[in-house]
Amino acid sequence: MDDLKKVVAGNIIKLRTSMNLTQAQLGEKLNYSDKSISKWERGESVPDVFVLKTIADMAGVTVDYIITLHDPDEEVQIEAKGPRYSRRFITLTVLAGIWALAVLVFVVLWLCGIFNWLVFIYAIPVSLITLLVLNSVWGDRSWNLYIISGLVWGIICSIYLTAIKFNWWQLFLLGIPAQIIIIFAFSIRRRPKKAVNN
């Protein structure tokens, strides 16, 4: 059993480093503490089969690879899952499309004799909603706090500027509790699971 623990420990280290992850980052992805990852990598305990499967899927290897002894000089080949596209380039292209559409609507309305600059104000929440969706789909949720905050204030500004003749400045007061709720919601963290000693 001790030999198996050492094999699994060595392979977890090799896979983690080949994915350029720290113990804390791997722990976050698995919902375990970095102390648990450290125990696995020291061979003090072995993760359960579900965790092994998750690690294997992340690295593009099989569970069998993790529990099998390999040559120390053997390079780990991380499989690319599907075609790799530049997420940033896709996001910028989509956002540019939204703003191009806003310009088109503005020009068409202007040619019809309606000068409505609010089209650009409405493009702000639409852009932020799109950015939020793309950011959430690709798993980079670190910016969602700022995107949602901008979205709330963008919607409030859109409503205020649409009905500017009524001077509903009080709408901006709604943004304060909304911002506090957003900050508190993003402060909620799941507790990492503790490793069970085997």
Side-chain angles (χ1 to χ4, degrees):
M1 184 64 173
D2 285 340
D3 288 342
L4 180 62
K5 285 182 180 178
K6 287 178 184 173
V7 168
V8 170
N11 288 332
I12 289 175
I13 292 169
K14 190 183 284 190
L15 291 174
R16 177 180 59 76
T17 54
S18 68
M19 291 185 288
N20 295 319
L21 295 174
T22 64
Q23 288 181 342
Q25 289 169 329
L26 179 60
E28 188 176 328
K29 288 180 181 293
L30 298 172
N31 199 25
Y32 277 83
S33 68
D34 57 339
K35 291 177 184 169
S36 298
I37 308 298
S38 179
K39 276 186 173 181
W40 300 338
E41 292 186 356
R42 288 194 311 265
E44 293 176 11
S45 65
V46 177
D48 64 46
V49 71
F50 298 108
V51 174
L52 290 175
K53 175 75 171 118
T54 305
I55 294 171
D57 289 344
M58 287 169 56
V61 297
T62 62
V63 174
D64 185 54
Y65 179 92
I66 297 176
I67 61 173
T68 304
L69 184 62
H70 301 281
D71 181 12
D73 298 330
E74 182 183 335
E75 294 258 340
V76 180
Q77 296 296 320
I78 301 295
E79 287 181 13
K81 298 189 174 167
R84 307 271 306 180
Y85 299 104
S86 169
R87 294 174 179 174
R88 184 175 295 146
F89 185 73
I90 292 170
T91 302
L92 291 174
T93 303
V94 171
L95 293 176
I98 291 169
W99 284 91
L101 183 62
V103 170
L104 177 66
V105 170
F106 175 76
V107 169
V108 168
L109 289 175
W110 193 5
L111 292 174
C112 293
I114 304 167
F115 185 76
N116 193 350
W117 57 271
L118 287 174
V119 169
F120 298 110
I121 300 299
Y122 300 148
I124 295 171
V126 172
S127 297
L128 290 171
I129 289 169
T130 305
L131 188 59
L132 179 63
V133 169
L134 293 175
N135 209 38
S136 297
V137 166
W138 285 324
D140 183 16
R141 294 182 174 89
S142 58
W143 287 93
N144 283 358
L145 168 66
Y146 308 107
I147 296 169
I148 293 172
S149 296
L151 179 60
V152 167
W153 290 104
I155 290 171
I156 290 171
C157 284
S158 297
I159 295 169
Y160 176 77
L161 291 171
T162 301
I164 198 162
K165 63 182 176 186
F166 299 112
N167 194 21
W168 290 342
W169 63 267
Q170 296 88 346
L171 287 171
F172 291 97
L173 296 176
L174 295 173
I176 297 168
Q179 186 66 56
I180 292 169
I181 290 168
I182 292 166
I183 290 170
F184 285 159
F186 275 86
S187 299
I188 298 170
R189 299 267 185 247
R190 287 192 298 185
R191 294 170 121 185
K193 297 176 187 172
K194 300 242 182 207
V196 179
N197 288 334
N198 292 330

